[in-house]
């Protein structure tokens, strides 16, 4: 039976589970994006998070044509600077191809932010990335699958608020990071993790240095070479809640918080990619993507095998690595898995 949408006042067919007010997904916010001056980002209550303007982002489709799979893919290559990375654009293109062809994401539901985009509002500056993250979770409903992929530099800084187990905050480095425009794990958590309602799942893939807890999720999985694993409790000592509002958030990242990630080239194809992105796609394409445990184990094996061949034999490894970070020489990295709640790694993987 048709009902009237409380936003646009059009007659639409009401579909469960949302009320008619969920018909419209075109943002109507006019307030400029800015954090409250009374709270640092990591202490903002959900109701205090102001929405940014969405005039330059794709509108949400109406309910009768809803897209349940959405993704934001950010690649920062820092072109023509001393920080330039060679593999990030390829990471973005490979992830988009994988999402569309393997996991059936509509191309129109994938928002790409790279320096190669003609529209400056699609360049991976901090402002554009923050707006894109808000867009990703806006009006999400039970059954939605969300993906955030980032390829670029990462940093870490000492934390003085008591909400980090290891005493450090992790940061993504947007295109304008040299002017101080970093994106902290606290900001990412507040925007795309804490608001997630029941029935919505978010997968993040962070191919950057110091990215182990880039989403500040409460639990981190440690897996050894025999596939034995345990979950570490990373809930902040301060008691600040970093979990979801009932949904599920899972993140694969390129390395532990104290490690650096690498650019890589496959031996059969010299096109550079991030080691983490490459190893994840290899796991999926080679049939090792059945469970979360399979994926994590395969990713760690791929990178470990590349390092061992390079150091032990002196020959060209399956991945030719160049450091993305600024730590001492070497590219040892262990892909990490963090989550909003503990689960068995035999759990089937799906996007």
């Amino acid at each position: 039976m048709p009902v009237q949408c409380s936003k646009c006042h059009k007659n639409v067919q009401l579909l469960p589970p949302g009320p008619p007010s969920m018909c419209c997904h075109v943002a109507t916010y006019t307030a400029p994006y800015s954090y409250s001056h009374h709270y640092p980002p990591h202490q903002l209550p959900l109701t205090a998070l102001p929405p940014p303007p969405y005039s330059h982002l794709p509108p949400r489709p109406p309910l009768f044509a809803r897209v349940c799979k959405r993704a934001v893919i950010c690649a920062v290559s820092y072109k023509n600077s001393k920080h330039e990375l060679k593999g990030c654009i390829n990471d973005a293109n490979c992830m988009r191809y994988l999402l569309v062809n393997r996991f059936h994401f509509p191309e129109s539901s994938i928002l790409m932010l790279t320096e190669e985009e003609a529209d400056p509002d699609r360049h991976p500056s901090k402002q554009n990335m923050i707006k894109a993250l808000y867009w990703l979770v806006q009006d999400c409903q039970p059954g939605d699958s969300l993906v955030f992929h980032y390829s670029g530099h990462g940093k870490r800084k000492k934390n003085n608020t008591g909400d980090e187990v290891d005493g450090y905050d992790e940061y993504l480095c947007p295109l304008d990071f040299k002017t101080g425009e970093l994106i902290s794990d606290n900001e990412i958590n507040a925007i795309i993790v804490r608001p997630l309602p029941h029935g919505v799942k978010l997968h993040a893939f962070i191919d950057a240095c110091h990215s182990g807890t880039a989403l500040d999720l409460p639990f981190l999985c440690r897996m050894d070479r025999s596939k034995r694993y345990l979950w570490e409790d990373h809930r902040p000592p301060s008691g600040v809640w970093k979990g979801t509002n009932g949904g599920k958030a899972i993140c694969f990242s390129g390395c532990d918080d104290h490690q650096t990630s690498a650019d890589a080239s496959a031996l059969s194809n010299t096109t550079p990619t991030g080691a983490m992105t490459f190893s994840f796609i290899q796991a999926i394409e080679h049939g090792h993507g059945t469970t979360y445990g399979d994926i994590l184990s395969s990713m760690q094996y791929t990178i470990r095998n590349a390092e061992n061949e390079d150091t032990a034999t002196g020959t060209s490894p399956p991945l030719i690595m160049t450091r993305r970070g600024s730590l001492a020489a070497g590219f040892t990295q262990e892909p990490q898995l963090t989550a909003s709640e503990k689960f068995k790694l035999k759990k089937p993987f799906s996007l």
Side-chain angles (χ1 to χ4, degrees):
M1 177 179 179
V3 294
Q4 191 176 70
C5 174
S6 62
K7 288 186 179 180
C8 68
H9 306 295
K10 292 181 180 179
N11 287 330
V12 295
Q13 187 71 33
L14 177 60
L15 300 177
S21 60
M22 299 304 292
C23 165
C24 293
H25 295 270
V26 179
T28 57
Y29 302 116
T30 56
Y33 165 73
S34 63
Y35 276 118
S36 165
H37 295 294
H38 303 292
Y39 299 92
H42 66 277
Q43 293 179 357
L44 279 171
L46 288 179
T47 54
L49 287 172
Y54 289 90
S55 56
H56 297 290
L57 294 176
R60 287 278 187 242
L63 185 61
F64 54 79
R66 256 182 49 78
V67 175
C68 295
K69 294 189 173 189
R70 305 189 290 278
V72 168
I73 298 178
C74 297
V76 197
S77 60
Y78 317 94
K79 213 167 183 178
N80 301 320
S81 77
K82 65 179 181 180
H83 306 286
E84 184 169 357
L85 296 173
K86 302 298 184 182
C88 296
I89 301 298
N90 291 325
D91 289 346
N93 291 332
C94 288
M95 280 300 296
R96 176 171 57 182
Y97 182 89
L98 189 76
L99 291 180
V100 171
N101 292 279
R102 281 282 181 157
F103 297 104
H104 312 296
F105 277 64
E107 289 194 56
S108 60
S109 74
I110 300 176
L111 181 59
M112 300 283 290
L113 273 67
T114 77
E115 290 141 277
E116 293 190 344
E117 296 292 321
D119 184 350
D121 291 305
R122 298 292 193 275
H123 291 175
S125 66
K126 177 174 181 176
Q127 181 182 7
N128 289 342
M129 287 178 62
I130 291 290
K131 288 194 292 184
L133 292 177
Y134 271 108
W135 173 86
L136 180 65
V137 298
Q138 183 196 11
D139 292 340
C140 56
Q141 299 179 32
D144 285 358
S145 175
L146 315 176
V147 169
F148 171 48
H149 179 271
Y150 169 84
S151 180
H153 283 303
K155 296 184 69 174
R156 71 195 305 230
K157 292 183 179 181
K158 193 74 176 175
N159 171 271
N160 298 313
T161 64
D163 72 342
E164 293 287 346
V165 171
D166 64 355
Y168 287 87
D169 281 310
E170 286 69 49
Y171 296 82
L172 304 185
C173 298
L175 187 59
D176 49 352
F177 82 99
K178 290 297 288 181
T179 62
E181 298 296 332
L182 298 171
I183 301 177
S184 72
D185 48 6
N186 297 315
E187 290 176 285
I188 299 171
N189 183 275
I191 296 170
I192 64 173
V193 175
R194 281 194 286 164
L196 286 179
H198 180 77
V200 176
K201 61 181 179 181
L202 166 73
H203 286 85
F205 303 90
I206 310 297
D207 200 340
C209 298
H210 316 300
S211 55
T213 60
L215 266 64
D216 253 3
L217 296 174
F219 302 101
L220 183 147
C221 182
R222 299 289 188 189
M223 175 185 280
D224 65 18
R225 299 189 182 197
S226 300
K227 297 187 179 182
R228 293 174 299 188
Y229 68 92
L230 59 85
W231 287 96
E232 292 181 355
D233 190 338
H234 278 249
R235 286 175 289 187
S238 65
V240 174
W241 175 241
K242 295 297 185 78
T244 70
N245 192 31
K248 299 185 186 301
I250 298 172
C251 178
F252 286 99
S253 52
C255 61
D256 211 339
D257 283 338
H258 67 280
Q259 295 177 329
T260 58
S261 290
D263 274 338
S265 297
L267 185 62
S268 60
N269 185 345
T270 57
T271 301
T273 63
M276 177 265 168
T277 302
F278 177 86
S279 63
F280 171 73
I281 293 175
Q282 286 284 96
I284 300 298
E285 294 295 334
H286 290 174
H288 304 302
T290 305
T291 69
Y292 287 89
D294 290 339
I295 292 175
L296 183 60
S297 176
S298 177
M299 291 172 65
Q300 292 180 346
Y301 176 83
T302 297
I303 293 176
R304 189 184 301 128
N305 188 50
E307 294 168 359
N308 290 342
E309 290 196 25
D310 186 45
T311 55
T313 68
T315 59
S316 298
L319 303 179
I320 303 169
M321 306 253 188
T322 0
R323 286 183 297 116
R324 274 188 183 183
S326 57
L327 297 183
F331 46 74
T332 300
Q333 65 182 95
E334 284 282 327
Q336 302 293 317
L337 175 67
T338 54
S340 56
E341 58 186 53
K342 301 176 186 178
F343 61 90
K344 293 182 179 180
L345 295 196
K346 292 182 179 180
K347 177 183 175 71
F349 174 78
S350 65
L351 292 180

